[in-house]
Amino acid sequence: MSYTLDLVRHGTSLAYVNYENDDVPTYRQGHNTPLSDAGKKESHAAGKQVAIYRPTLLVSSQLVRAKQSADIIAEYSPLFVNTDWRLNEINRPSVDGQNIYSEINLEYKKWRREMIEKRNWKAKFSSKDQS
């Protein structure tokens, strides 16, 4: 028996919060940051694409923007959304063996903010980035 795993990132959320007192000016989102109108449109488009594959299970993190995206995607299948706290980005203690506030991750967050502002969805953080 084989399985297929499809991963979908949440739609664009509302404006990032700039924490002025940080040593590095990064833009972070909290647990309750909701989807923007653009993010809702993106989620509807993703729902149409995901439905083609006839998913049997839909799992989302508990973060508001992820759950909102999953709820919209679920409308097209139709499925109930299962949530799991282990998918919450904010709860990950490390990324590739580094703390989420390590220098490389802070650089990534600054770069990501710039790409979002430019709406450059095809840019890669580095030549080794396969995301």
Side-chain angles (χ1 to χ4, degrees):
M1 179 181 283
S2 66
Y3 297 93
T4 301
L5 174 66
D6 298 306
L7 302 174
V8 178
R9 183 147 164 74
H10 62 76
T12 305
S13 53
L14 287 178
Y16 284 63
V17 177
N18 183 10
Y19 292 92
E20 298 288 339
N21 296 330
D22 283 355
D23 292 335
V24 178
T26 58
Y27 285 69
R28 299 186 190 141
Q29 299 165 324
H31 286 285
N32 298 320
T33 306
L35 286 176
S36 64
D37 289 339
K40 291 174 186 174
K41 289 177 186 175
E42 293 163 355
S43 296
H44 281 285
K48 293 173 187 174
Q49 291 298 312
V50 168
I52 293 169
Y53 298 101
R54 306 179 99 183
T56 57
L57 178 66
L58 182 56
V59 184
S60 168
S61 79
Q62 296 173 331
L63 301 181
V64 170
R65 60 192 174 274
K67 178 71 168 61
Q68 287 177 327
S69 294
D71 286 338
I72 292 170
I73 290 169
E75 294 173 11
Y76 292 87
S77 290
L79 292 169
F80 291 104
V81 177
N82 300 281
T83 59
D84 191 320
W85 66 269
R86 293 173 292 185
L87 297 174
N88 294 4
E89 177 181 3
I90 207 92
N91 285 331
R92 292 186 311 185
S94 66
V95 177
D96 297 331
Q98 297 188 33
N99 182 290
I100 61 171
Y101 298 112
S102 68
E103 187 64 33
I104 188 71
N105 286 298
L106 291 174
E107 288 176 26
Y108 169 74
K109 287 178 181 285
K110 289 190 326 188
W111 170 85
R112 185 177 72 171
R113 185 194 97 231
E114 291 171 12
M115 294 305 105
I116 288 171
E117 288 173 351
K118 293 177 183 177
R119 295 211 173 269
N120 183 354
W121 309 124
K122 296 185 180 190
K124 292 193 176 202
F125 179 58
S126 75
S127 58
K128 296 178 184 176
D129 182 18
Q130 298 300 313
S131 61

